[in-house]
Amino acid sequence: MSYQVLARKWRPARFQEMVGQEHVLKALVNALDDDRLHHAYLFTGTRGVGKTSIARLFAKSLNCETGVSSTPCGECSACKEIAEGRFVDLIEVDAASRTKVEDTRELMENVQYAPTHGRYKVYLIDEVHMLSTHSFNALLKTLEEPPPHVKFLLATTDPQKLPITILSRCLQFNLKNLIPERIVSHLTHVLGEENISFEEPALWLLARSADGSMRDAMSLTDQAIAFGAGTINEADVRAMLGTIDQRLVYQMLSCLAAGDAKGLMASVTDLAQFSPDYNAVLGDLISVLHRIALVQTIPDAVDNSMGDMLQVQKLAKALTAEDIQLYYQVALMGRKDLPFVPDPREGLEMVLLRMLAFRPAGARPRAVELQNSSALGRDKVEPSQDTSSDIKTNEPAVNVAEAVSIDRPNPLPEDESPIEAVTEQPVAPQALNPENDLRQDEPPVYYDEAEYAAPQSGVDPRKKFEGEGTEQESTPPWNMDESEQSFVNDQTMQPLGNEHAYAPSESKADVKSIEIAKSSVAVKECSRDLGAIQLSDWVHIGRNLGLSGMTESLATHISLEEIRSDAVVLHYTKDQKTMLNEVQQQRISDALNTYFSASVSVEFVQAIQTQETPAQYLNRKREERHSEAITSIRNDETVKQLQQHFDAQIELSSVQPID
């Protein structure tokens, strides 16, 4: 008898012999046992995962002489004929070679006839996505309403090419790729039954090369048996597959850990003697780095399936987590660029040299250090001092770029003190808490000017965020009128991220106060005596009337043009005429009466606005703040140093007022 390849000899004869695909088998077994059979099934998945095998087992279960069940006997004539591929009522069609509409019509013409020998006539159409559009159209009606004695089993590796009309008429099952562990387990069983000696690492090489396909794994196993003269060992499989000795990969990583450039290049020379696929070498390097990272994070997550646990654990101790992440990324990018280099070996060498050149210094990212220490008010910077041991690696660094986007409340009156985006006040070293692991010789960190300057000392600048800071009362240094001063005094001032930084405590301010504090321009209280106010005061009064919604919007877009003893004249534009109806006018009038605690006659006139409206005032102040913020950033010494040393560019479009 001629030799039968392993893939055909060990094709599953029952559902219980299938490896993997439990999610598909469970549905089919229950449907067969409960007699809930659909007329069309679609099996999708990559090559060699069991699509045709499941379809044939399903056909065997339907036509077994003992009855329809998930456990066909395997002994009756129908089971044997299906297993041997000669059952007359199982019509297997290779759609790749029968793509014409005439072929499909010929098949459909025979659908109406009853099965010759079995219980069901089963059409197994493989690679169904290869059918033409006209063939699909010819199949549609029959596929939707076939005779009760017909079942359609479709298989494809590319379901995206199937028309939605076909997909909607089928029960679809997506078969998954098999993991290497399942393939190795099955190969171990098969080789044990075949009495073939093997080495387990060789099976792992075969399983990984199969890339999720059991049929490919069985074919590679057949090839390995022939290559090894009846046995399977690791060296023969590596030679057959063209893979390299993993010890060379570990040798390269050991040289990287030691910073040994000479030994690293010697490892590449040893590697070149095998004429390897350098793309595969980088792939092996990436896989080992992944295993090392897992060991460093979750020691129990990596098994000894590759026989390299000791080497991986040793490298995990020799390399830091930062090293591993950097090497992984460099190798990944180098593998992508490998097709563009003149010589693949040169590409590998440059990747390894890049890993050496950009090895992390071991310290966490820190705030920007400026080489010109005069801008920081110090005589010199001490780069030789190693501060890495005193710095917590999980502490976030604060840099200048982040400072511009910090959101802080702004209690300052717009017309008295503009916001600067970057301040030049460094954190005083003596104000830091020794418990926070920051060295006294670290360069200062710059914060947002929204954290307004006010004298305070002895407070850890990070206690605000940790909820440990003590509340202290202080009089803000800026000039305010009595109403603004009373507003700020009602708030508890706390340090933000700077010993000179203050902001209101939201826990002790009501919602209305918080909204006022966070407004783009602080509301300024004006006199409530009608005879004492000026035309220019309307920009503050209009926003302090207690209005809301559309009425508030209208009030901020009209101007105060004339003040009499008991009346005021408000101008509005032609565009506002429709919205400023009698209801809105009455609401504004009532609000003014309430504000002045007197009966005030309000005249609304459609005319040119000569005075500034509250909305125009806000826009003007916002533009002034934006302009001053840009000027402050351009004049900041830190930014100048970044531009000088790193050729940095200021993204002016990203500068926004902090409202």
Side-chain angles (χ1 to χ4, degrees), residues 15 32 56-64 67-72 79 82 119:
F15 284 121
L32 289 166
R56 288 179 178 175
L57 289 176
F58 194 68
K60 186 184 295 185
S61 299
L62 291 173
N63 288 289
C64 180
V68 177
S69 69
S70 61
T71 55
C79 291
I82 291 175
R119 186 178 295 106

Side-chain angles (χ1 to χ4, degrees), residues 236 291 398 409 556:
D236 289 341
R291 290 170 64 81
V398 180
T556 58

Side-chain angles (χ1 to χ4, degrees), residues 104 256 270 288 377 457 520 576:
T104 304
L256 283 173
D270 295 339
V288 174
S457 61
S520 59
Q576 299 167 343

Side-chain angles (χ1 to χ4, degrees), residues 468-540:
E468 302 175 4
T470 58
E471 299 179 359
Q472 301 188 20
E473 296 182 358
S474 177
T475 302
W478 52 81
N479 298 324
M480 298 183 181
D481 56 26
E482 294 180 358
S483 60
E484 291 170 329
Q485 184 69 50
S486 65
F487 165 72
V488 177
N489 288 341
D490 288 341
Q491 313 297 318
T492 299
M493 309 304 291
Q494 294 183 356
L496 286 173
N498 183 314
E499 63 174 352
H500 304 301
Y502 282 80
S505 170
E506 295 184 3
S507 61
K508 293 191 175 183
D510 59 14
V511 176
K512 187 63 178 178
S513 298
I514 294 175
E515 291 176 352
I516 295 174
K518 290 184 176 181
S519 64
S520 59
V521 180
V523 175
K524 179 179 179 180
E525 286 283 353
C526 297
S527 172
R528 294 181 181 268
D529 182 5
L530 183 59
I533 67 171
Q534 304 294 324
L535 294 178
S536 60
D537 291 337
W538 175 249
V539 297
H540 303 293

Side-chain angles (χ1 to χ4, degrees), residues 331-380:
L332 202 62
M333 294 298 100
R335 191 182 189 192
K336 182 181 68 174
D337 297 338
L338 201 61
F340 303 104
V341 299
D343 182 9
R345 175 177 174 177
E346 292 178 3
L348 175 64
E349 291 177 346
M350 283 303 299
V351 169
L352 297 175
L353 292 175
R354 196 175 301 146
M355 292 178 180
L356 279 180
F358 293 97
R359 183 177 183 181
R364 68 170 174 83
R366 297 167 54 185
V368 179
E369 282 191 39
L370 303 181
Q371 297 180 6
N372 186 0
S373 59
S374 60
L376 306 177
R378 299 185 181 185
D379 293 334
K380 65 178 181 177

Side-chain angles (χ1 to χ4, degrees), residues 24 35 76 87 113 141 220 227 233 266 304 335 368 413 461 573 598:
V24 176
D35 194 22
C76 65
F87 187 64
Y113 301 114
K141 191 60 179 178
L220 288 173
F227 192 91
N233 57 72
N304 194 32
R335 191 182 189 192
V368 179
T573 65

